[in-house]
Amino acid sequence: MKDIKIIIPSHKRASRVRTTSAVYGATLCVEESQADIYRKCNPGIEIITHPDSVVGLSRKRDWIIKNVGSCFMLDDDIDHLGRIYTEKGEESHVDPATAYDIIQSTAYAAQQAGAFLFGYSSSPTPISYNSLNPIQMSGYVTGCAHGVLEGSKLWYNPDIICNEDYWISLLNAHHHRYIWKDTRYYWAQKDTFVNRGGLAEFRNIEAEEKDFKLLQKVFGQVVELRKSGGTSNLKHPFQKSLKLPF
């Protein structure tokens, strides 16, 4: 299996892309009209352009998997890849070159296992890591860091505004039944909800409610509203959880 592309979808953040420092060899994917400013602000970084008519993150991701092929997509606000299985006081940050190799080896493992969707842990806390089960074959992959391999039945719904990660995880469960999720690693973001540009200009409570209703309409009661309790406080009333039957 040849190395897959590492793609950073970005929008109106030309001078604020962090992810190119977190992983070696990543490519930026931006609108044609924004290409010049991205090249100016990100010298030496490969840039792929898509038509300006491709608006919204779901449409952008769908364009990427249809035009690039097998790839791993990272948000533009990634600070680093971290190891979750470290001991107290042990360095957890992964250097950019090693991060590249980890992506490629994970993609290869997923392909050998027959999976089309792959990703990493959605929790940065070591207490959530199960050393006896580091690879999970079901569940959810985060939108900020996941890969799709060629030959799948996967696509991104253009009507999904904020929750394309839930859409692709559920669609993958429906068509392919399992994923490849390496829970030893976690991609850490920074300033996600306060950074101008990107999805920030589309994300609001109305959009979250619309997404929830669409996901539940398509996939049924496996999509549930998350309940607040204990130390788990909801950021908004339409935070979701998945109850997959396998």
Side-chain angles (χ1 to χ4, degrees):
M1 179 181 180
K2 66 179 181 179
D3 284 5
I4 66 169
K5 279 276 193 183
I6 300 171
I7 304 290
I8 305 170
S10 190
H11 176 68
K12 294 183 179 180
R13 287 181 177 170
S15 63
R16 288 172 285 121
V17 175
R18 304 182 64 92
T19 312
T20 49
S21 297
V23 60
Y24 167 81
T27 298
L28 282 162
C29 182
V30 303
E31 297 173 27
E32 291 172 348
S33 61
Q34 297 178 30
D36 288 344
I37 186 64
Y38 268 88
R39 290 191 179 99
K40 182 178 179 180
C41 294
N42 300 274
I45 301 298
E46 181 185 2
I47 292 177
I48 295 174
T49 62
H50 62 75
D52 285 12
S53 58
V54 178
V55 178
L57 189 53
S58 287
R59 288 182 173 90
K60 188 189 288 275
R61 291 196 192 281
D62 200 55
W63 185 92
I64 289 171
I65 64 171
K66 288 177 179 175
N67 290 273
V68 174
S70 294
C71 63
F72 183 74
M73 289 176 277
L74 284 167
D75 282 3
D76 58 15
D77 56 0
I78 299 291
D79 187 72
H80 65 276
L81 175 65
R83 297 182 181 89
I84 296 178
Y85 55 87
T86 53
E87 298 289 339
K88 185 177 180 180
E90 187 178 356
E91 176 59 52
S92 62
H93 287 208
V94 176
D95 67 84
T98 303
Y100 177 92
D101 291 340
I102 288 171
I103 291 171
Q104 301 303 331
S105 62
T106 307
Y108 178 76
Q111 188 232 24
Q112 291 298 297
F116 291 99
L117 184 67
F118 69 95
Y120 301 89
S121 177
S122 55
S123 172
T125 58
I127 197 171
S128 67
Y129 172 65
N130 182 354
S131 61
L132 299 178
N133 186 31
I135 305 299
Q136 294 181 3
M137 304 295 285
S138 65
Y140 156 88
V141 293
T142 60
C144 74
H146 68 272
V148 178
L149 300 181
E150 285 185 297
S152 77
K153 298 179 180 179
L154 304 180
W155 55 281
Y156 294 86
N157 190 325
D159 293 326
I160 293 291
I161 303 170
C162 310
N163 297 273
E164 79 286 348
D165 47 354
Y166 283 92
W167 171 270
I168 206 70
S169 296
L170 287 160
L171 188 66
N172 178 77
H174 172 73
H175 284 305
H176 302 302
R177 286 298 191 253
Y178 61 95
I179 62 175
W180 186 268
K181 187 172 178 177
D182 191 334
T183 65
R184 295 175 296 174
Y185 303 99
Y186 172 81
W187 291 92
Q189 293 175 279
K190 190 169 184 178
D191 301 330
T192 301
F193 294 98
V194 298
N195 203 358
R196 300 185 312 278
L199 194 58
E201 64 183 58
F202 304 106
R203 182 187 285 118
N204 54 50
I205 296 300
E206 183 180 345
E208 291 284 359
E209 180 180 12
K210 182 180 177 181
D211 279 4
F212 171 74
K213 289 179 177 178
L214 178 56
L215 289 169
Q216 200 168 64
K217 179 180 178 181
V218 175
F219 297 106
Q221 297 304 309
V222 297
V223 185
E224 299 180 344
L225 289 176
R226 189 178 299 175
K227 297 180 181 179
S228 180
T231 58
S232 178
N233 294 318
L234 299 180
K235 295 177 181 177
H236 61 77
F238 294 99
Q239 281 187 250
K240 292 160 289 297
S241 62
L242 304 182
K243 302 293 183 183
L244 297 176
F246 43 82

